[in-house]
Amino acid sequence: VQLQASGGGLVQAGGSLRLSCAASGPTFSTYTMGWFRQAPGLEREFVSFIIGSTGNTYYADSVVGRFTISRDNAKNTVYLQMNSLKPEDTAVYYCAARLEPRYSGVYYEPGGYDYWGQGTQVTVSS
């Protein structure tokens, strides 16, 4: 499985960006897809995930109400719509795929995912 993230950039506080992550693989619709981010000097942290079989979505408390994850299985792509961006959202954003069924690793930790994209930089200026 290969993942290609895109859509990052420089935006002012209060602005919006939409990240995309294109995935390879014939069974994309079954993958749980996640977004994580990593700021300089900090650990990679959970942002959001969407379960393939149900479409259920989950978010970190810090982004609830501002970010929306979605997927288009026909295009093998997952999106992260980010609104009301804050300077503290500045980070490299990574998409990740978890092949299901999987019985180890939790959805909100990096170890719960099998494949990672290369990351896309998001910078929010104040």
Side-chain angles (χ1 to χ4, degrees):
V1 176
Q2 293 185 324
L3 304 175
Q4 181 71 40
S6 61
L10 173 63
V11 64
Q12 290 187 333
S16 299
L17 284 174
R18 188 176 82 154
L19 306 184
S20 300
C21 176
S24 65
T27 57
F28 172 79
S29 62
T30 68
Y31 305 162
T32 293
M33 297 299 297
W35 286 98
F36 289 75
R37 66 187 182 186
Q38 188 166 19
L42 300 179
E43 294 186 350
R44 193 167 298 188
E45 67 171 0
F46 164 70
V47 175
S48 181
F49 68 81
I50 181 168
I51 297 178
S53 59
T54 64
N56 288 352
T57 59
Y58 299 85
Y59 299 92
D61 290 344
S62 59
V63 306
V64 168
R66 300 188 299 121
F67 291 11
T68 303
I69 191 171
S70 62
R71 64 192 299 157
D72 185 338
N73 290 333
K75 295 182 178 180
N76 278 22
T77 301
V78 63
Y79 304 97
L80 186 68
Q81 178 67 44
M82 306 185 295
N83 299 328
S84 301
L85 283 162
K86 304 175 181 180
E88 51 263 44
D89 295 318
T90 295
V92 177
Y93 283 69
Y94 297 90
C95 61
R98 173 186 169 112
L99 306 188
E100 302 288 6
R102 175 173 168 170
Y103 306 103
S104 64
V106 296
Y107 290 110
Y108 50 86
E109 292 182 356
Y113 292 80
D114 302 293
Y115 296 95
W116 291 83
Q118 85 289 2
T120 184
Q121 175 71 46
V122 172
T123 303
V124 184
S125 63
S126 57

